[in-house]
Amino acid sequence: MNQAENLGLNEEKFKYNIERDSVALVYDEDGTVTGKVESRKNIVSDSDVNLQAIEGRVAKVLVYGDEEYRSKYGNDWQKRAEAIVERADDEFNREFDIDLDIRSYGSWSSNGNNSNEILSDLRGSGVTSYDFVIGFTGDNNFTKDGELIGGLAYRYTSNPTYGGYNVVSDQLQLTTAHTLQHELSHNYSLEPDLITSGLICIMNYETMYDTWNWHSAHREQLAVRSGWFGTAIN
C-alpha cells in the first residue's frame, strides 16, 4: 500500500486553476520538438481571480517525465503533470504572486540507484534557461535508505545561478501536488520542520498532506526569497 492510499486521499476531489493561456512545446529525448500542449485559462469566478498574479513573478517551468512515468500514463502524462504543477502553483500564486508557467515538456530516462542519484541525473550540468526543472518519476529506485520516497529537491542556500531542480514520484495527483509544493519550497531554501514541532505546515512531514499552508516563519522566509526565480511582471 502506497503513501496516498494510507492517507485515504480521493483523487476525484483534485482541483486546480490555470491563470494564463499558454502553449508548451514537447521534446523527445533527442531534443526534437514532437508536438505542443495548449492550456487555456480556466479562472472564471471572482474568488478565482484572487489567485492570479497580477503583479509578482512568472517562473518558466520545464517538466520531464521519465520512461516509467510516460509508460504508465501514455499520451496523458503531460496533462497529468500539468494538473499537479498547477495545483501547487495555486498556493504560490495566492501567497507570493508567483506563477509557475510550464513552457516545455521533455522525455527523460532516469538513471540512478537511489533518489539522490536520480535527482543528480535530472540536473546534469545544472545549466538551464528555465526557472524550475521538475522531474516526474515512476522509477522504483527513487528511494532513500531502501524505501520509496515522495520527492527530493536541491535546497539552495542563496539565490542560485541557474534553475531550481526537483523530482517527485508517482502518487495520487493530490498527494503529488502537496509533495511538489514542499519540494519547490526547498528550492527557495526552506528547511523541513521537525515532526515533533506540532506546526501545521507544508514543510512538516507529519502534516504536509493535510495542509497547503506555510507557517508564519516559513512564509516570511519565502517572501524574502520570492525574487530568486522568475521574471517580474506588473
Side-chain angles (χ1 to χ4, degrees), residues 30-41:
D30 296 322
T32 302
V33 176
T34 60
K36 62 183 180 180
V37 175
E38 296 185 8
S39 300
R40 298 302 179 194
K41 175 179 175 179

Side-chain angles (χ1 to χ4, degrees), residues 4-234:
E5 291 170 332
N6 280 329
L7 290 167
L9 297 175
N10 185 344
E11 197 161 9
E12 293 180 359
K13 296 180 180 178
F14 186 85
K15 298 181 184 299
Y16 65 97
N17 295 281
I18 298 176
E19 293 82 17
R20 289 175 173 77
D21 291 346
S22 65
V23 177
L25 297 178
V26 178
Y27 294 86
D28 64 17
E29 291 186 67
D30 296 322
T32 302
V33 176
T34 60
K36 62 183 180 180
V37 175
E38 296 185 8
S39 300
R40 298 302 179 194
K41 175 179 175 179
N42 67 354
I43 288 180
V44 292
S45 70
D46 290 340
S47 61
D48 286 340
V49 169
N50 293 331
L51 288 170
Q52 184 173 4
I54 305 301
E55 297 180 352
R57 306 185 77 81
V58 173
K60 297 182 296 182
V61 177
L62 167 60
V63 169
Y64 276 113
D66 72 2
E67 64 273 39
E68 291 88 358
Y69 198 84
R70 300 193 313 273
S71 175
K72 181 174 181 178
Y73 296 109
N75 293 332
D76 293 329
W77 82 263
Q78 293 104 337
K79 281 298 184 182
R80 182 181 180 86
E82 176 194 48
I84 292 166
V85 172
E86 289 294 340
R87 183 60 190 88
D89 170 61
D90 288 348
E91 307 312 313
F92 284 92
N93 257 289
R94 180 182 291 109
E95 294 286 350
F96 306 106
D97 291 331
I98 296 170
D99 184 25
L100 305 177
D101 187 16
I102 300 175
R103 300 290 179 86
S104 301
Y105 294 90
S107 296
W108 162 52
S109 292
S110 56
N111 296 306
N113 297 313
N114 54 54
S115 55
N116 281 310
E117 291 182 5
I118 288 174
L119 176 59
S120 179
D121 173 57
L122 179 73
R123 183 176 183 272
S125 67
V127 178
T128 180
S129 60
Y130 296 92
D131 296 296
F132 293 105
V133 179
I134 302 170
F136 286 79
T137 182
D139 196 323
N140 288 330
N141 286 328
F142 194 64
T143 59
K144 180 179 180 181
D145 300 326
E147 297 289 332
L148 286 170
I149 64 171
L152 189 66
Y154 287 108
R155 190 178 70 82
Y156 304 98
T157 56
S158 60
N159 191 348
T161 305
Y162 298 110
Y165 288 81
N166 60 80
V167 177
V168 290
S169 64
D170 179 32
Q171 306 169 89
L172 291 182
Q173 287 179 295
L174 186 63
T175 312
T176 311
H178 279 278
T179 302
L180 180 58
Q181 183 187 346
H182 176 100
E183 302 306 337
L184 287 165
S185 300
H186 279 317
N187 290 155
Y188 284 98
S189 198
L190 296 193
E191 296 184 2
D193 296 312
L194 293 175
I195 291 177
T196 56
S197 66
L199 293 167
I200 308 299
C201 180
I202 194 70
M203 302 310 293
N204 185 333
Y205 294 114
E206 187 74 14
T207 64
M208 62 180 285
Y209 297 106
D210 300 317
T211 185
W212 297 104
N213 295 324
W214 292 268
H215 69 71
S216 58
H218 276 152
R219 190 180 297 110
E220 291 171 4
Q221 291 166 1
L222 208 156
V224 169
R225 300 163 189 159
S226 61
W228 280 14
F229 303 99
T231 301
I233 55 175
N234 50 45

